[in-house]
Amino acid sequence: MKIKVGVIFGGPTVEHEVSIISAVQAMEHLNKEKYDIYPIYISKDRTWYTGKMLADIDIYRDFDTLKRFAKKVVLYNHNGLFRLQALNIFRTVVADLDIILPVVHGNNMEDGTIQGYLELVGVPYVGSNVLGSSLGQDKVVMKQVFESLNLPVVEYTWFFDKEYFLDKEEIIKKVKKVGFPVIVKPATLGSSVGITYVKDISGLENAIEDAISYDNKIVVEKAVENLVEVNCSVLGTYESQQASTLEEVMSTQEFLTYQDKYLSGGKGKFGSKGSKGMASASRIIPARLDDKTTNLVQDLAKEAFKALNLSGVCRIDFLINSKTNKVYINEPNTIPGSLSFYLWEETNKPYEQLLDEMITLAIKQYKVKHQKTISFDTNILSNFNGSKGIKGKIRK
Ligand SMILES: Nc1ncnc2c1ncn2[C@@H]1O[C@H](COP(=O)(O)OP(=O)(O)O)[C@@H](O)[C@H]1O
Ligand SMILES: [Mg+2]
């Protein structure tokens, strides 16, 4: 019997389109002998659709066609089955799924949101759990966790929008302490949205206000000079991890923009069958680092993966000052663009095999988790002192 895999993608996130590209690539590479694939596309307005045609990138050029031919569906727990059911008048059962492969990027989806939904349904899913996914999205909290384990991060300060508007001077003082040049970022977005490189104080307020238009939490980091950016993909769980070959990513400006990441190469990238998403940014594989630094980056990548209790395949990004050779962890991507398949291909793991391993790990973790006790066999209500009624005190 084939394993029924629901591939969830899209959703109300700024990285909606990138997720479509990553998901279509993954669906092309899932072994059709082993898996029955159910594409589950979530539109920007949060409607869930399924249909075989959703595995074809061209359908997304015209949302009206998609809406007309795809089935609106819901995924829920039906007496222990993970049921994908049509919202038509017949309530047709599309499938009872075995596992979900989330290929979503960005906040509102990758940040634990979709994982929380899947936990509630009870369905096994590939990749990091709720907490790991949330930590991976918040550029402040992840740094605090890394710092607590003495993992290297850049100097930074952070604040909420309200604090900035109440006392700009105080915030500017904090930024000056970090020292220019700085990078101003919304704390929980991705794909370089709302990020500005600020050379000196003159550009600071505009940059902060731009970031505030995307997020209520802002992080300002010291810009790493003589910058070399390298990424390492990690596959595993908290128990054991493998690190991939490193890539060195090239940017055309002070930092990698959305343009560099997804649109470089110009026309045809998004629409073409061979579209590579994140895999199209200009890159050098393997990164031009000596063995010692390569090993250091791979070890740090595995440490960072473990620190946040991540699972499946993640990509940990690094910033290196090439003059001082100082290496900093920039951020994890808990569901990396293109699932970073191109790094594993360079590590002698074809994409099909990578997907197989991710699914196997997820099934194993699900079994382990469900062996743990998840409920106590008591009913506190039966012992509840009725005479005190609803006013009785509950200590939780
Ligand atoms: N502290 C920094 N110093 C120098 N460049 C940085 C720094 N932080 C980010 N950048 C540049 O900005 C890009 C986007 O920042 P990143 O934190 O990775 O955000 P995103 O989540 O949007 O990918 C990085 O790929 C890098 O080019
Ligand atoms: Mg990044």
PDB file of all heavy atoms in Angstrom, residues 15 137 139 154-155 183 185 189-193 195 197 221-225 227 229 249 251 254-257 261 315 317 319 330-331 333, ligand 1:
ATOM      1  N   GLU A  15       5.617  34.957   1.919  1.00  0.00           N
ATOM      2  CA  GLU A  15       6.403  34.021   1.115  1.00  0.00           C
ATOM      3  C   GLU A  15       5.510  32.987   0.409  1.00  0.00           C
ATOM      4  O   GLU A  15       5.940  31.879   0.115  1.00  0.00           O
ATOM      5  CB  GLU A  15       7.458  33.358   2.003  1.00  0.00           C
ATOM      6  CG  GLU A  15       8.430  34.384   2.552  1.00  0.00           C
ATOM      7  CD  GLU A  15       9.505  33.775   3.433  1.00  0.00           C
ATOM      8  OE1 GLU A  15      10.418  33.147   2.889  1.00  0.00           O
ATOM      9  OE2 GLU A  15       9.432  33.929   4.657  1.00  0.00           O
ATOM     10  N   GLN A 137      11.518  31.397  13.755  1.00  0.00           N
ATOM     11  CA  GLN A 137      10.967  32.549  13.035  1.00  0.00           C
ATOM     12  C   GLN A 137      11.262  33.871  13.735  1.00  0.00           C
ATOM     13  O   GLN A 137      11.183  34.929  13.130  1.00  0.00           O
ATOM     14  CB  GLN A 137       9.451  32.374  12.887  1.00  0.00           C
ATOM     15  CG  GLN A 137       8.784  33.307  11.882  1.00  0.00           C
ATOM     16  CD  GLN A 137       9.148  32.988  10.443  1.00  0.00           C
ATOM     17  OE1 GLN A 137       9.385  31.827  10.109  1.00  0.00           O
ATOM     18  NE2 GLN A 137       9.206  33.999   9.602  1.00  0.00           N
ATOM     19  N   LYS A 139      13.713  36.364  15.226  1.00  0.00           N
ATOM     20  CA  LYS A 139      15.145  36.647  15.175  1.00  0.00           C
ATOM     21  C   LYS A 139      15.699  37.129  16.510  1.00  0.00           C
ATOM     22  O   LYS A 139      16.918  37.197  16.675  1.00  0.00           O
ATOM     23  CB  LYS A 139      15.429  37.697  14.087  1.00  0.00           C
ATOM     24  CG  LYS A 139      15.174  37.201  12.666  1.00  0.00           C
ATOM     25  CD  LYS A 139      15.563  38.259  11.656  1.00  0.00           C
ATOM     26  CE  LYS A 139      14.909  38.110  10.314  1.00  0.00           C
ATOM     27  NZ  LYS A 139      15.083  36.841   9.634  1.00  0.00           N
ATOM     28  N   VAL A 154      25.658  37.842  16.226  1.00  0.00           N
ATOM     29  CA  VAL A 154      26.144  39.225  16.114  1.00  0.00           C
ATOM     30  C   VAL A 154      25.605  40.054  17.285  1.00  0.00           C
ATOM     31  O   VAL A 154      24.609  39.689  17.903  1.00  0.00           O
ATOM     32  CB  VAL A 154      25.689  39.900  14.794  1.00  0.00           C
ATOM     33  CG1 VAL A 154      26.365  39.280  13.594  1.00  0.00           C
ATOM     34  CG2 VAL A 154      24.177  39.883  14.668  1.00  0.00           C
ATOM     35  N   GLU A 155      26.260  41.176  17.529  1.00  0.00           N
ATOM     36  CA  GLU A 155      25.735  42.103  18.530  1.00  0.00           C
ATOM     37  C   GLU A 155      24.419  42.653  18.033  1.00  0.00           C
ATOM     38  O   GLU A 155      24.271  42.913  16.829  1.00  0.00           O
ATOM     39  CB  GLU A 155      26.707  43.272  18.668  1.00  0.00           C
ATOM     40  CG  GLU A 155      27.571  43.189  19.894  1.00  0.00           C
ATOM     41  CD  GLU A 155      28.463  44.414  19.961  1.00  0.00           C
ATOM     42  OE1 GLU A 155      27.983  45.467  20.394  1.00  0.00           O
ATOM     43  OE2 GLU A 155      29.628  44.277  19.513  1.00  0.00           O
ATOM     44  N   ILE A 183      22.064  46.606  10.569  1.00  0.00           N
ATOM     45  CA  ILE A 183      20.991  46.084   9.724  1.00  0.00           C
ATOM     46  C   ILE A 183      19.717  46.126  10.559  1.00  0.00           C
ATOM     47  O   ILE A 183      19.710  45.605  11.676  1.00  0.00           O
ATOM     48  CB  ILE A 183      21.256  44.616   9.307  1.00  0.00           C
ATOM     49  CG1 ILE A 183      22.643  44.451   8.709  1.00  0.00           C
ATOM     50  CG2 ILE A 183      20.166  44.090   8.406  1.00  0.00           C
ATOM     51  CD1 ILE A 183      22.741  44.549   7.235  1.00  0.00           C
ATOM     52  N   LYS A 185      15.851  45.029  11.011  1.00  0.00           N
ATOM     53  CA  LYS A 185      14.976  43.959  10.512  1.00  0.00           C
ATOM     54  C   LYS A 185      13.679  43.872  11.314  1.00  0.00           C
ATOM     55  O   LYS A 185      13.727  43.979  12.543  1.00  0.00           O
ATOM     56  CB  LYS A 185      15.651  42.588  10.670  1.00  0.00           C
ATOM     57  CG  LYS A 185      17.029  42.455  10.119  1.00  0.00           C
ATOM     58  CD  LYS A 185      17.594  41.051  10.429  1.00  0.00           C
ATOM     59  CE  LYS A 185      18.983  40.889   9.872  1.00  0.00           C
ATOM     60  NZ  LYS A 185      19.576  39.587  10.175  1.00  0.00           N
ATOM     61  N   LEU A 189       9.750  38.326  10.139  1.00  0.00           N
ATOM     62  CA  LEU A 189       9.434  38.076   8.717  1.00  0.00           C
ATOM     63  C   LEU A 189      10.513  37.201   8.093  1.00  0.00           C
ATOM     64  O   LEU A 189      11.297  36.569   8.760  1.00  0.00           O
ATOM     65  CB  LEU A 189       9.307  39.394   7.948  1.00  0.00           C
ATOM     66  CG  LEU A 189       8.070  40.227   8.253  1.00  0.00           C
ATOM     67  CD1 LEU A 189       7.956  41.351   7.231  1.00  0.00           C
ATOM     68  CD2 LEU A 189       6.795  39.407   8.225  1.00  0.00           C
ATOM     69  N   GLY A 190      10.548  37.171   6.764  1.00  0.00           N
ATOM     70  CA  GLY A 190      11.582  36.400   6.080  1.00  0.00           C
ATOM     71  C   GLY A 190      11.747  36.948   4.684  1.00  0.00           C
ATOM     72  O   GLY A 190      11.135  37.974   4.340  1.00  0.00           O
ATOM     73  N   SER A 191      12.580  36.308   3.888  1.00  0.00           N
ATOM     74  CA  SER A 191      12.801  36.714   2.496  1.00  0.00           C
ATOM     75  C   SER A 191      13.263  38.163   2.367  1.00  0.00           C
ATOM     76  O   SER A 191      12.986  38.836   1.387  1.00  0.00           O
ATOM     77  CB  SER A 191      11.533  36.514   1.657  1.00  0.00           C
ATOM     78  OG  SER A 191      11.353  35.146   1.411  1.00  0.00           O
ATOM     79  N   SER A 192      13.951  38.654   3.371  1.00  0.00           N
ATOM     80  CA  SER A 192      14.538  39.999   3.363  1.00  0.00           C
ATOM     81  C   SER A 192      13.509  41.121   3.291  1.00  0.00           C
ATOM     82  O   SER A 192      13.852  42.270   3.033  1.00  0.00           O
ATOM     83  CB  SER A 192      15.534  40.166   2.212  1.00  0.00           C
ATOM     84  OG  SER A 192      16.531  39.180   2.285  1.00  0.00           O
ATOM     85  N   VAL A 193      12.239  40.807   3.545  1.00  0.00           N
ATOM     86  CA  VAL A 193      11.208  41.837   3.504  1.00  0.00           C
ATOM     87  C   VAL A 193      11.398  42.798   4.684  1.00  0.00           C
ATOM     88  O   VAL A 193      11.554  42.356   5.822  1.00  0.00           O
ATOM     89  CB  VAL A 193       9.795  41.190   3.559  1.00  0.00           C
ATOM     90  CG1 VAL A 193       8.713  42.256   3.657  1.00  0.00           C
ATOM     91  CG2 VAL A 193       9.588  40.300   2.352  1.00  0.00           C
ATOM     92  N   ILE A 195      13.909  44.720   5.442  1.00  0.00           N
ATOM     93  CA  ILE A 195      15.271  44.799   5.991  1.00  0.00           C
ATOM     94  C   ILE A 195      16.056  45.922   5.310  1.00  0.00           C
ATOM     95  O   ILE A 195      16.015  46.050   4.094  1.00  0.00           O
ATOM     96  CB  ILE A 195      16.012  43.454   5.796  1.00  0.00           C
ATOM     97  CG1 ILE A 195      15.292  42.351   6.581  1.00  0.00           C
ATOM     98  CG2 ILE A 195      17.473  43.554   6.213  1.00  0.00           C
ATOM     99  CD1 ILE A 195      16.012  41.028   6.604  1.00  0.00           C
ATOM    100  N   TYR A 197      19.920  48.052   5.270  1.00  0.00           N
ATOM    101  CA  TYR A 197      21.310  48.260   5.701  1.00  0.00           C
ATOM    102  C   TYR A 197      21.451  49.753   5.989  1.00  0.00           C
ATOM    103  O   TYR A 197      21.133  50.580   5.130  1.00  0.00           O
ATOM    104  CB  TYR A 197      22.235  47.825   4.565  1.00  0.00           C
ATOM    105  CG  TYR A 197      23.706  48.061   4.799  1.00  0.00           C
ATOM    106  CD1 TYR A 197      24.501  47.075   5.373  1.00  0.00           C
ATOM    107  CD2 TYR A 197      24.306  49.264   4.422  1.00  0.00           C
ATOM    108  CE1 TYR A 197      25.854  47.282   5.575  1.00  0.00           C
ATOM    109  CE2 TYR A 197      25.666  49.483   4.627  1.00  0.00           C
ATOM    110  CZ  TYR A 197      26.437  48.492   5.199  1.00  0.00           C
ATOM    111  OH  TYR A 197      27.771  48.684   5.403  1.00  0.00           O
ATOM    112  N   GLU A 221      20.837  44.863  14.186  1.00  0.00           N
ATOM    113  CA  GLU A 221      22.065  44.080  14.362  1.00  0.00           C
ATOM    114  C   GLU A 221      23.271  44.843  13.840  1.00  0.00           C
ATOM    115  O   GLU A 221      23.162  45.608  12.881  1.00  0.00           O
ATOM    116  CB  GLU A 221      21.982  42.783  13.548  1.00  0.00           C
ATOM    117  CG  GLU A 221      20.869  41.878  13.952  1.00  0.00           C
ATOM    118  CD  GLU A 221      20.778  40.663  13.045  1.00  0.00           C
ATOM    119  OE1 GLU A 221      21.667  40.470  12.183  1.00  0.00           O
ATOM    120  OE2 GLU A 221      19.806  39.922  13.188  1.00  0.00           O
ATOM    121  N   LYS A 222      24.393  44.591  14.440  1.00  0.00           N
ATOM    122  CA  LYS A 222      25.638  45.129  13.893  1.00  0.00           C
ATOM    123  C   LYS A 222      25.863  44.449  12.551  1.00  0.00           C
ATOM    124  O   LYS A 222      25.728  43.231  12.420  1.00  0.00           O
ATOM    125  CB  LYS A 222      26.777  44.794  14.842  1.00  0.00           C
ATOM    126  CG  LYS A 222      28.102  45.339  14.382  1.00  0.00           C
ATOM    127  CD  LYS A 222      28.932  45.743  15.590  1.00  0.00           C
ATOM    128  CE  LYS A 222      30.189  46.459  15.148  1.00  0.00           C
ATOM    129  NZ  LYS A 222      30.042  47.901  15.116  1.00  0.00           N
ATOM    130  N   ALA A 223      26.155  45.260  11.527  1.00  0.00           N
ATOM    131  CA  ALA A 223      26.406  44.668  10.206  1.00  0.00           C
ATOM    132  C   ALA A 223      27.784  44.021  10.204  1.00  0.00           C
ATOM    133  O   ALA A 223      28.764  44.636  10.631  1.00  0.00           O
ATOM    134  CB  ALA A 223      26.328  45.743   9.136  1.00  0.00           C
ATOM    135  N   VAL A 224      27.839  42.794   9.765  1.00  0.00           N
ATOM    136  CA  VAL A 224      29.124  42.096   9.672  1.00  0.00           C
ATOM    137  C   VAL A 224      29.855  42.643   8.455  1.00  0.00           C
ATOM    138  O   VAL A 224      29.296  42.687   7.353  1.00  0.00           O
ATOM    139  CB  VAL A 224      28.907  40.575   9.541  1.00  0.00           C
ATOM    140  CG1 VAL A 224      30.222  39.848   9.306  1.00  0.00           C
ATOM    141  CG2 VAL A 224      28.208  40.045  10.788  1.00  0.00           C
ATOM    142  N   GLU A 225      31.088  43.088   8.667  1.00  0.00           N
ATOM    143  CA  GLU A 225      31.840  43.648   7.532  1.00  0.00           C
ATOM    144  C   GLU A 225      32.683  42.564   6.863  1.00  0.00           C
ATOM    145  O   GLU A 225      32.847  41.485   7.426  1.00  0.00           O
ATOM    146  CB  GLU A 225      32.666  44.831   8.031  1.00  0.00           C
ATOM    147  CG  GLU A 225      31.704  45.945   8.491  1.00  0.00           C
ATOM    148  CD  GLU A 225      32.395  47.158   9.074  1.00  0.00           C
ATOM    149  OE1 GLU A 225      32.810  48.024   8.270  1.00  0.00           O
ATOM    150  OE2 GLU A 225      32.501  47.225  10.304  1.00  0.00           O
ATOM    151  N   LEU A 227      31.805  40.773   4.498  1.00  0.00           N
ATOM    152  CA  LEU A 227      30.836  39.688   4.676  1.00  0.00           C
ATOM    153  C   LEU A 227      30.944  38.564   3.655  1.00  0.00           C
ATOM    154  O   LEU A 227      30.983  38.789   2.447  1.00  0.00           O
ATOM    155  CB  LEU A 227      29.417  40.278   4.598  1.00  0.00           C
ATOM    156  CG  LEU A 227      28.265  39.295   4.753  1.00  0.00           C
ATOM    157  CD1 LEU A 227      28.248  38.696   6.157  1.00  0.00           C
ATOM    158  CD2 LEU A 227      26.933  39.983   4.476  1.00  0.00           C
ATOM    159  N   GLU A 229      28.658  35.055   3.154  1.00  0.00           N
ATOM    160  CA  GLU A 229      27.488  34.347   3.674  1.00  0.00           C
ATOM    161  C   GLU A 229      27.541  32.901   3.250  1.00  0.00           C
ATOM    162  O   GLU A 229      27.663  32.609   2.055  1.00  0.00           O
ATOM    163  CB  GLU A 229      26.215  34.970   3.107  1.00  0.00           C
ATOM    164  CG  GLU A 229      25.842  36.249   3.779  1.00  0.00           C
ATOM    165  CD  GLU A 229      24.476  36.731   3.324  1.00  0.00           C
ATOM    166  OE1 GLU A 229      23.464  36.118   3.720  1.00  0.00           O
ATOM    167  OE2 GLU A 229      24.419  37.698   2.565  1.00  0.00           O
ATOM    168  N   VAL A 249      26.535  32.126  -0.641  1.00  0.00           N
ATOM    169  CA  VAL A 249      25.548  32.864  -1.438  1.00  0.00           C
ATOM    170  C   VAL A 249      26.051  34.262  -1.730  1.00  0.00           C
ATOM    171  O   VAL A 249      26.674  34.909  -0.898  1.00  0.00           O
ATOM    172  CB  VAL A 249      24.147  32.896  -0.770  1.00  0.00           C
ATOM    173  CG1 VAL A 249      23.454  31.558  -0.899  1.00  0.00           C
ATOM    174  CG2 VAL A 249      24.230  33.299   0.676  1.00  0.00           C
ATOM    175  N   SER A 251      25.480  38.143  -3.045  1.00  0.00           N
ATOM    176  CA  SER A 251      24.435  39.142  -3.182  1.00  0.00           C
ATOM    177  C   SER A 251      24.902  40.246  -4.111  1.00  0.00           C
ATOM    178  O   SER A 251      26.085  40.445  -4.315  1.00  0.00           O
ATOM    179  CB  SER A 251      24.049  39.712  -1.829  1.00  0.00           C
ATOM    180  OG  SER A 251      24.952  40.710  -1.470  1.00  0.00           O
ATOM    181  N   GLU A 254      24.139  45.238  -0.518  1.00  0.00           N
ATOM    182  CA  GLU A 254      24.760  45.018   0.794  1.00  0.00           C
ATOM    183  C   GLU A 254      24.242  43.734   1.429  1.00  0.00           C
ATOM    184  O   GLU A 254      24.851  43.149   2.281  1.00  0.00           O
ATOM    185  CB  GLU A 254      24.478  46.184   1.745  1.00  0.00           C
ATOM    186  CG  GLU A 254      25.342  47.401   1.499  1.00  0.00           C
ATOM    187  CD  GLU A 254      24.587  48.441   0.692  1.00  0.00           C
ATOM    188  OE1 GLU A 254      23.575  48.078   0.062  1.00  0.00           O
ATOM    189  OE2 GLU A 254      25.023  49.599   0.699  1.00  0.00           O
ATOM    190  N   PHE A 255      23.050  43.342   1.064  1.00  0.00           N
ATOM    191  CA  PHE A 255      22.535  42.091   1.608  1.00  0.00           C
ATOM    192  C   PHE A 255      21.692  41.404   0.541  1.00  0.00           C
ATOM    193  O   PHE A 255      21.325  41.991  -0.460  1.00  0.00           O
ATOM    194  CB  PHE A 255      21.731  42.335   2.891  1.00  0.00           C
ATOM    195  CG  PHE A 255      20.542  43.222   2.692  1.00  0.00           C
ATOM    196  CD1 PHE A 255      19.313  42.684   2.334  1.00  0.00           C
ATOM    197  CD2 PHE A 255      20.638  44.600   2.852  1.00  0.00           C
ATOM    198  CE1 PHE A 255      18.211  43.493   2.156  1.00  0.00           C
ATOM    199  CE2 PHE A 255      19.547  45.415   2.672  1.00  0.00           C
ATOM    200  CZ  PHE A 255      18.327  44.869   2.312  1.00  0.00           C
ATOM    201  N   LEU A 256      21.419  40.135   0.805  1.00  0.00           N
ATOM    202  CA  LEU A 256      20.634  39.336  -0.141  1.00  0.00           C
ATOM    203  C   LEU A 256      19.198  39.809  -0.128  1.00  0.00           C
ATOM    204  O   LEU A 256      18.512  39.713   0.885  1.00  0.00           O
ATOM    205  CB  LEU A 256      20.632  37.878   0.312  1.00  0.00           C
ATOM    206  CG  LEU A 256      21.679  36.945  -0.251  1.00  0.00           C
ATOM    207  CD1 LEU A 256      21.466  35.569   0.363  1.00  0.00           C
ATOM    208  CD2 LEU A 256      21.596  36.852  -1.760  1.00  0.00           C
ATOM    209  N   THR A 257      18.733  40.324  -1.228  1.00  0.00           N
ATOM    210  CA  THR A 257      17.368  40.839  -1.276  1.00  0.00           C
ATOM    211  C   THR A 257      16.419  39.752  -1.753  1.00  0.00           C
ATOM    212  O   THR A 257      16.837  38.691  -2.200  1.00  0.00           O
ATOM    213  CB  THR A 257      17.274  42.000  -2.266  1.00  0.00           C
ATOM    214  OG1 THR A 257      17.642  41.480  -3.544  1.00  0.00           O
ATOM    215  CG2 THR A 257      18.175  43.139  -1.881  1.00  0.00           C
ATOM    216  N   LYS A 261      17.167  36.427  -4.039  1.00  0.00           N
ATOM    217  CA  LYS A 261      16.814  35.078  -3.612  1.00  0.00           C
ATOM    218  C   LYS A 261      15.918  34.367  -4.609  1.00  0.00           C
ATOM    219  O   LYS A 261      16.072  33.182  -4.851  1.00  0.00           O
ATOM    220  CB  LYS A 261      16.101  35.126  -2.259  1.00  0.00           C
ATOM    221  CG  LYS A 261      17.047  35.338  -1.112  1.00  0.00           C
ATOM    222  CD  LYS A 261      16.279  35.306   0.189  1.00  0.00           C
ATOM    223  CE  LYS A 261      17.191  35.581   1.357  1.00  0.00           C
ATOM    224  NZ  LYS A 261      16.443  35.834   2.567  1.00  0.00           N
ATOM    225  N   ARG A 315      17.802  24.751   7.126  1.00  0.00           N
ATOM    226  CA  ARG A 315      19.035  25.361   6.616  1.00  0.00           C
ATOM    227  C   ARG A 315      19.459  26.410   7.622  1.00  0.00           C
ATOM    228  O   ARG A 315      18.655  27.270   7.975  1.00  0.00           O
ATOM    229  CB  ARG A 315      18.778  26.001   5.243  1.00  0.00           C
ATOM    230  CG  ARG A 315      20.053  26.233   4.429  1.00  0.00           C
ATOM    231  CD  ARG A 315      19.776  27.095   3.213  1.00  0.00           C
ATOM    232  NE  ARG A 315      19.534  28.464   3.600  1.00  0.00           N
ATOM    233  CZ  ARG A 315      18.502  29.205   3.180  1.00  0.00           C
ATOM    234  NH1 ARG A 315      17.611  28.717   2.346  1.00  0.00           N
ATOM    235  NH2 ARG A 315      18.352  30.442   3.597  1.00  0.00           N
ATOM    236  N   ASP A 317      21.823  29.520   8.415  1.00  0.00           N
ATOM    237  CA  ASP A 317      22.587  30.515   7.658  1.00  0.00           C
ATOM    238  C   ASP A 317      23.620  31.202   8.551  1.00  0.00           C
ATOM    239  O   ASP A 317      23.338  31.500   9.713  1.00  0.00           O
ATOM    240  CB  ASP A 317      21.632  31.552   7.061  1.00  0.00           C
ATOM    241  CG  ASP A 317      20.670  30.937   6.048  1.00  0.00           C
ATOM    242  OD1 ASP A 317      20.843  29.744   5.701  1.00  0.00           O
ATOM    243  OD2 ASP A 317      19.751  31.647   5.608  1.00  0.00           O
ATOM    244  N   LEU A 319      26.940  34.196   8.901  1.00  0.00           N
ATOM    245  CA  LEU A 319      27.612  35.401   8.426  1.00  0.00           C
ATOM    246  C   LEU A 319      29.066  35.283   8.882  1.00  0.00           C
ATOM    247  O   LEU A 319      29.323  34.965  10.049  1.00  0.00           O
ATOM    248  CB  LEU A 319      26.974  36.642   9.066  1.00  0.00           C
ATOM    249  CG  LEU A 319      25.449  36.797   8.905  1.00  0.00           C
ATOM    250  CD1 LEU A 319      24.921  37.875   9.854  1.00  0.00           C
ATOM    251  CD2 LEU A 319      25.105  37.152   7.456  1.00  0.00           C
ATOM    252  N   ASN A 330      23.466  33.296  11.727  1.00  0.00           N
ATOM    253  CA  ASN A 330      22.484  34.327  11.393  1.00  0.00           C
ATOM    254  C   ASN A 330      21.086  33.853  11.753  1.00  0.00           C
ATOM    255  O   ASN A 330      20.444  34.418  12.628  1.00  0.00           O
ATOM    256  CB  ASN A 330      22.586  34.708   9.915  1.00  0.00           C
ATOM    257  CG  ASN A 330      21.558  35.755   9.526  1.00  0.00           C
ATOM    258  OD1 ASN A 330      21.118  36.537  10.365  1.00  0.00           O
ATOM    259  ND2 ASN A 330      21.156  35.758   8.277  1.00  0.00           N
ATOM    260  N   GLU A 331      20.627  32.786  11.100  1.00  0.00           N
ATOM    261  CA  GLU A 331      19.279  32.302  11.417  1.00  0.00           C
ATOM    262  C   GLU A 331      19.056  30.919  10.825  1.00  0.00           C
ATOM    263  O   GLU A 331      19.647  30.559   9.819  1.00  0.00           O
ATOM    264  CB  GLU A 331      18.222  33.247  10.832  1.00  0.00           C
ATOM    265  CG  GLU A 331      18.380  33.434   9.328  1.00  0.00           C
ATOM    266  CD  GLU A 331      17.129  33.939   8.646  1.00  0.00           C
ATOM    267  OE1 GLU A 331      16.115  34.153   9.327  1.00  0.00           O
ATOM    268  OE2 GLU A 331      17.166  34.087   7.419  1.00  0.00           O
ATOM    269  N   ASN A 333      16.404  28.353   8.949  1.00  0.00           N
ATOM    270  CA  ASN A 333      15.183  28.345   8.148  1.00  0.00           C
ATOM    271  C   ASN A 333      14.594  26.964   8.345  1.00  0.00           C
ATOM    272  O   ASN A 333      15.148  25.978   7.853  1.00  0.00           O
ATOM    273  CB  ASN A 333      15.513  28.584   6.675  1.00  0.00           C
ATOM    274  CG  ASN A 333      16.070  29.982   6.472  1.00  0.00           C
ATOM    275  OD1 ASN A 333      15.330  30.923   6.290  1.00  0.00           O
ATOM    276  ND2 ASN A 333      17.387  30.131   6.573  1.00  0.00           N
TER     277      ASN A 333
HETATM  278  N1  LIG B   1      24.155  41.336  10.811  1.00  0.00           N
HETATM  279  C1  LIG B   1      24.266  41.342   9.467  1.00  0.00           C
HETATM  280  N2  LIG B   1      25.376  41.830   8.865  1.00  0.00           N
HETATM  281  C2  LIG B   1      25.505  41.855   7.528  1.00  0.00           C
HETATM  282  N3  LIG B   1      24.541  41.445   6.686  1.00  0.00           N
HETATM  283  C3  LIG B   1      23.406  40.949   7.206  1.00  0.00           C
HETATM  284  C4  LIG B   1      23.215  40.868   8.622  1.00  0.00           C
HETATM  285  N4  LIG B   1      21.992  40.363   8.852  1.00  0.00           N
HETATM  286  C5  LIG B   1      21.461  40.125   7.645  1.00  0.00           C
HETATM  287  N5  LIG B   1      22.296  40.483   6.665  1.00  0.00           N
HETATM  288  C6  LIG B   1      22.006  40.364   5.217  1.00  0.00           C
HETATM  289  O1  LIG B   1      20.589  40.451   5.037  1.00  0.00           O
HETATM  290  C7  LIG B   1      20.069  39.248   4.483  1.00  0.00           C
HETATM  291  C8  LIG B   1      18.718  38.954   5.055  1.00  0.00           C
HETATM  292  O2  LIG B   1      18.772  38.864   6.447  1.00  0.00           O
HETATM  293  P1  LIG B   1      18.151  37.638   7.243  1.00  0.00           P
HETATM  294  O3  LIG B   1      18.357  37.890   8.676  1.00  0.00           O
HETATM  295  O4  LIG B   1      18.716  36.380   6.705  1.00  0.00           O
HETATM  296  O5  LIG B   1      16.619  37.782   6.921  1.00  0.00           O
HETATM  297  P2  LIG B   1      15.544  36.851   6.181  1.00  0.00           P
HETATM  298  O6  LIG B   1      14.844  36.124   7.272  1.00  0.00           O
HETATM  299  O7  LIG B   1      14.665  37.826   5.534  1.00  0.00           O
HETATM  300  O8  LIG B   1      16.283  35.941   5.252  1.00  0.00           O
HETATM  301  C9  LIG B   1      21.144  38.216   4.789  1.00  0.00           C
HETATM  302  O9  LIG B   1      21.082  37.164   3.865  1.00  0.00           O
HETATM  303  C10 LIG B   1      22.414  39.031   4.669  1.00  0.00           C
HETATM  304  O10 LIG B   1      22.751  39.250   3.285  1.00  0.00           O
END
